[in-house]
């Protein structure tokens, strides 16, 4: 049993913190949204009035925040968590998906204060978070990974040590770039299939056993019907918000720019998710790109 401070109790952090409670840990959480605090209380955790209060006496501090700017603000800004916990020196774990630079900056600041930080982004969506079946891709040194492993096992099923600091974020950015492109491919297939007079259920049944099978197709179909748990069946309630997917594809494009790698499909995917956001669907699940494509005319 560990004493854990958990900051960021949103679509992912909420169920992850609840699973840590279920695993027998003593979890104190903080979020800016009162409803998120109520949910952790209902799950048996404790809540605090601020991030600093939530991490008091913690052996492990976990953050699950939207983007790099929030992570830098919570950890590094004046009165940030690294300063707050520098005397007690817990293990620090950031599970948010952020740019590699912010991850390495936070890790370096932690090291300067005598602490270790793991970058441990996740894959598996809100269903994986609720079921405790997330995949974790972890960057950091071996010793810190070994210490964090039993905690991460309370929230996930597949826990990988990807390499040194920032390696977890690097894997995550590549993973989401591939998913972003793949989701659009599946959406285009279903739209074309309908115009060809095919039944979506049949298309799905056939293609999940054929060469186009993928996570987006088999678990997260963007067309309503074939995968009952997917956001498409609840008017694209997230899930994983389009704004966050756009953030991740942009992270991949910044990394591609920095390394001189050509990623033409991801560049096009970024423009389609941007158009989805511009159409007012930033807070819908990213599979709502299906609707944008459905309404596009061949030109
Ligand atoms: P979310 O917006 O639902 O949750 C983020 C939470 O952080 C919110 O509740 C917000 O109030 C809180 N927050 C923001 N600033 C804060 C601060 N200063 N102090 C305390 N709380 C603060 O987002 P999410 O879907 O839970 O995603 C979180 C991270 O996980 C993102 O980086 C995202 O890219 C990544 N991710 C999401 C999914 C998914 O399917 N939703 C899957 C894998 C990874």
């Amino acid at each position: 049993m560990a004493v854990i401070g958990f900051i960021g109790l949103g679509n992912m952090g909420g169920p992850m913190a609840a699973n840590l409670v279920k695993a027998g840990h003593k979890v104190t959480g903080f979020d800016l949204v009162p409803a998120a605090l109520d949910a952790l209380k209902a799950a048996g955790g404790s809540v605090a009035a601020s991030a600093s209060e939530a991490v008091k006496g913690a052996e492990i501090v976990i953050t699950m925040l939207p983007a790099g700017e929030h992570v830098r603000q919570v950890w590094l800004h004046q009165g940030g968590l690294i300063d707050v916990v520098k005397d007690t020196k817990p293990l620090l774990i950031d599970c948010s998906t952020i740019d590699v630079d912010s991850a390495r900056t936070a890790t370096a600041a932690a090291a300067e204060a005598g602490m270790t930080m793991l970058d441990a982004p996740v894959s598996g969506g809100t269903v994986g978070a609720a079921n405790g079946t997330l995949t974790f891709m972890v960057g950091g040194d071996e010793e810190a990974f070994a210490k964090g492993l039993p905690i991460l096992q309370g929230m996930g099923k597949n826990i990988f040590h990807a390499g040194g600091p920032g390696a977890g974020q690097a894997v995550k950015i590549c993973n989401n770039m591939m998913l972003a492109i793949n989701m659009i491919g599946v959406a285009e297939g279903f739209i074309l299939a309908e115009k060809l007079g095919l039944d979506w259920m049949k298309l799905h049944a056939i293609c999940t056993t054929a060469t186009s099978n993928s996570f987006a197709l088999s678990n997260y179909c963007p067309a309503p019907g074939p995968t009952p748990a997917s956001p498409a069946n609840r008017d694209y309630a997230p899930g994983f918000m389009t704004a966050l997917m756009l953030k991740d594809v942009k992270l991949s494009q910044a990394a591609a720019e920095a390394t001189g790698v050509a990623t033409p499909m991801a560049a096009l995917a970024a423009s389609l998710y941007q158009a989805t956001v511009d159409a007012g669907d930033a807070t819908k699940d990213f599979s709502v790109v299906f609707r944008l494509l459905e309404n596009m005319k061949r030109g």
Side-chain angles (χ1 to χ4, degrees):
M1 193 278 269
V3 178
I4 300 173
F6 202 118
I7 316 300
L9 304 165
N11 287 324
M12 295 295 286
M16 288 164 71
N19 277 331
L20 289 173
V21 173
K22 235 188 261 170
H25 300 295
K26 187 177 176 312
V27 181
T28 304
F30 175 68
D31 195 289
L32 302 173
V33 176
L37 299 175
D38 293 343
L40 179 60
K41 259 196 272 180
S46 309
V47 300
S50 67
S52 329
E53 197 187 310
V55 302
K56 243 184 226 152
E59 298 157 278
I60 312 277
V61 176
I62 300 174
T63 44
M64 189 50 160
L65 297 162
E69 69 207 73
H70 308 91
V71 171
R72 287 196 305 275
Q73 193 198 356
V74 167
W75 286 107
L76 305 174
H77 281 190
Q78 217 180 9
L81 291 186
I82 288 182
D83 194 44
V84 172
V85 298
K86 65 179 185 304
D87 293 331
T88 48
K89 300 203 183 336
L91 173 66
L92 315 179
I93 305 177
D94 177 42
C95 295
S96 331
T97 303
I98 62 171
D99 56 290
V100 177
D101 259 7
S102 293
R104 290 188 175 145
T105 304
T107 304
E112 215 167 286
M115 287 174 286
T116 317
M117 182 183 259
L118 296 171
D119 51 290
V122 305
S123 182
T126 45
V127 173
N131 295 342
T133 55
L134 292 170
T135 292
F136 280 85
M137 34 211 109
V138 186
D141 70 42
E142 288 279 359
E143 201 184 314
F145 176 72
K147 194 171 167 198
L149 185 60
I151 304 299
L152 301 180
Q153 280 167 336
M155 302 180 281
K157 198 164 88 181
N158 300 302
I159 325 281
F160 294 99
H161 188 209
Q169 294 298 350
V171 174
K172 176 66 184 172
I173 286 168
C174 296
N175 178 77
N176 277 23
M177 183 179 85
M178 293 188 269
L179 172 63
I181 296 168
N182 189 228
M183 182 59 81
I184 291 168
V186 175
E188 289 186 2
F190 274 72
I191 293 164
L192 178 60
E194 189 179 35
K195 296 290 179 220
L196 294 173
L198 296 172
D199 175 73
W200 279 345
M201 301 300 277
K202 279 201 181 129
L203 177 76
H204 188 264
I206 296 167
C207 290
T208 47
T209 67
T211 46
S212 59
N213 197 20
S214 65
F215 173 81
L217 177 65
S218 59
N219 295 355
Y220 215 105
C221 186
T227 54
S230 77
N233 302 297
R234 42 173 207 266
D235 193 29
Y236 299 96
F240 183 40
M241 286 186 266
T242 310
L244 291 178
M245 179 51 105
L246 178 60
K247 168 205 65 160
D248 292 356
V249 189
K250 283 183 173 168
L251 290 178
S252 77
Q253 294 311 277
E257 177 80 33
T259 50
V261 173
T263 52
M265 295 297 285
L268 183 55
S271 70
L272 290 169
Y273 290 110
Q274 181 67 62
T276 308
V277 166
D278 295 344
D281 283 337
T283 59
K284 294 276 188 196
D285 187 82
F286 77 108
S287 56
V288 75
V289 71
F290 178 86
R291 243 168 27 187
L292 179 94
L293 294 163
E294 252 188 332
N295 293 327
M296 270 167 88
K297 298 271 173 289
R298 188 173 179 84

